[in-house]
Amino acid sequence: MSIFSFVKEAGEKLIDLLTPGNAKADDQLKEHVQKVGLGNPNIQTTVDGDKVTVKGEVGSQEEKEKILLALGNIAGVASVDDQLTVTGPVVAAARFVVVKKGDTLSAISLAVYGNANQYNKIFEANKPLLSHPDKIYPGQTLRIPE
């Protein structure tokens, strides 16, 4: 269990999500996770200021990481407190990078793998959060598989 930091100003804007006392925040976050294509995982979330805490069980490390990214890449969220349990096989966690202005998946691939042509590996590792290799934005956090 750990806390992941995100760029608070970057990401999709979910209206009223971070409004203090928002009783629908958990439902909004679950709906967002489902909308980005991660199904309907067995999670519960709470919002405290700019921090989202997520609890529950997921089937794989990859699913866990994608849920954390879906929750963290929301405008106004600065951190996600990961209290998820993986019920499937234990595998090494992926690395994460924050997209900088002017970055492309090819540039990130060159920096992390030494080969710009490995960009599709990063794209596939972030599906369904990414719909196209060219649709990344500064401040977004991405999974980088080994």
Side-chain angles (χ1 to χ4, degrees), residues 89-122:
V90 177
V91 296
R95 294 183 284 167
F96 296 97
V97 298
V98 176
V99 176
K100 296 178 199 73
K101 185 176 181 177
D103 271 352
T104 63
L105 288 186
S106 293
I108 294 168
S109 176
L110 180 62
V112 296
Y113 298 129
N115 181 348
N117 293 324
Q118 294 289 319
Y119 75 91
N120 203 47
K121 187 176 186 178
I122 299 170

Side-chain angles (χ1 to χ4, degrees), residues 11 18 30-31 34 42 50 64 81 83 88 95 111 125 136 145:
L18 301 174
K30 285 181 189 176
E31 184 178 309
Q34 193 170 22
N42 181 24
D50 60 4
K64 172 182 173 171
D81 183 0
Q83 297 184 16
R95 294 183 284 167
I136 62 173

Side-chain angles (χ1 to χ4, degrees), residues 15-68:
I15 298 172
D16 297 330
L17 173 67
L18 301 174
T19 302
N22 179 359
K24 296 182 181 181
D26 182 53
D27 291 336
Q28 287 179 303
L29 289 170
K30 285 181 189 176
E31 184 178 309
H32 176 70
V33 167
Q34 193 170 22
K35 186 182 104 183
V36 298
L38 296 172
N40 190 15
N42 181 24
I43 62 170
Q44 300 80 42
T45 59
T46 55
V47 177
D48 182 15
D50 60 4
K51 179 176 92 173
V52 173
T53 300
V54 59
K55 300 176 182 180
E57 292 183 347
V58 294
S60 70
Q61 181 68 29
E62 178 180 0
E63 181 183 15
K64 172 182 173 171
E65 292 168 354
K66 288 181 178 183
I67 289 170
L68 296 174

